[in-house]
Amino acid sequence: MDRVLVEVLITTSLLSLSAVITTSSSLTYAKLKQFTEELSSEKALYSLSGTIKGAVVASITYGKNVSTSISFHNPVTIEAEGEYLKVYLTNSVRSIYLGVMTVGGGSGRVFHITASQNLVFLTSNP
């Protein structure tokens, strides 16, 4: 075979292999990023619901309203719908049943919680 033709075939093969590797790496990174975001939303949801329930228990124990704050590493969007709490991140939505009426929500890294014996107010701090 001609030397130029061999070099062209080798170069084409290497470029094709490089494209396949790049595409595969890109897809793996996208899946890993989505998985990490889902874990972050789960962690945020359980941390927030635990803090809310702790504030309600403290309110019942002490017989007065209890205020507390919680902060997250990354900004999240939180929405309270009655006894349900939803946490939104880039591509995922997680919800949990709280068992106590919750009002409010917002977006940000820091959230302020005010709990009485049967109602929780949730606001985001800018």
Side-chain angles (χ1 to χ4, degrees):
M1 265 196 187
D2 190 39
R3 180 185 166 111
V4 174
L5 181 59
V6 170
E7 288 178 1
V8 168
L9 288 174
I10 290 173
T11 303
T12 304
S13 297
L14 289 175
L15 288 174
S16 297
L17 180 62
S18 174
V20 168
I21 291 171
T22 302
T23 303
S24 176
S25 298
S26 177
L27 291 173
T28 302
Y29 174 76
K31 287 180 183 179
L32 182 61
K33 184 178 177 186
Q34 180 181 4
F35 179 71
T36 304
E37 287 175 352
E38 289 174 0
L39 283 178
S40 295
S41 64
E42 286 286 325
K43 183 178 178 183
L45 181 63
Y46 287 114
S47 295
L48 183 59
S49 64
T51 303
I52 288 172
K53 288 182 180 184
V56 170
V57 168
S59 175
I60 292 170
T61 303
Y62 299 122
K64 60 181 181 179
N65 289 356
V66 173
S67 294
T68 188
S69 293
I70 186 170
S71 63
F72 300 104
H73 182 68
N74 294 321
V76 295
T77 300
I78 295 171
E79 180 181 305
E81 292 182 356
E83 295 186 357
Y84 287 89
L85 190 65
K86 290 183 180 180
V87 172
Y88 298 86
L89 263 131
T90 309
N91 293 324
S92 63
V93 180
R94 296 285 187 255
S95 65
I96 193 168
Y97 176 75
L98 287 175
V100 62
M101 288 299 294
T102 308
V103 178
S107 295
R109 292 183 53 218
V110 178
F111 289 85
H112 186 71
I113 301 163
T114 302
S116 65
Q117 296 177 5
N118 56 4
L119 182 63
V120 175
F121 292 99
L122 182 64
T123 57
S124 63
N125 290 347

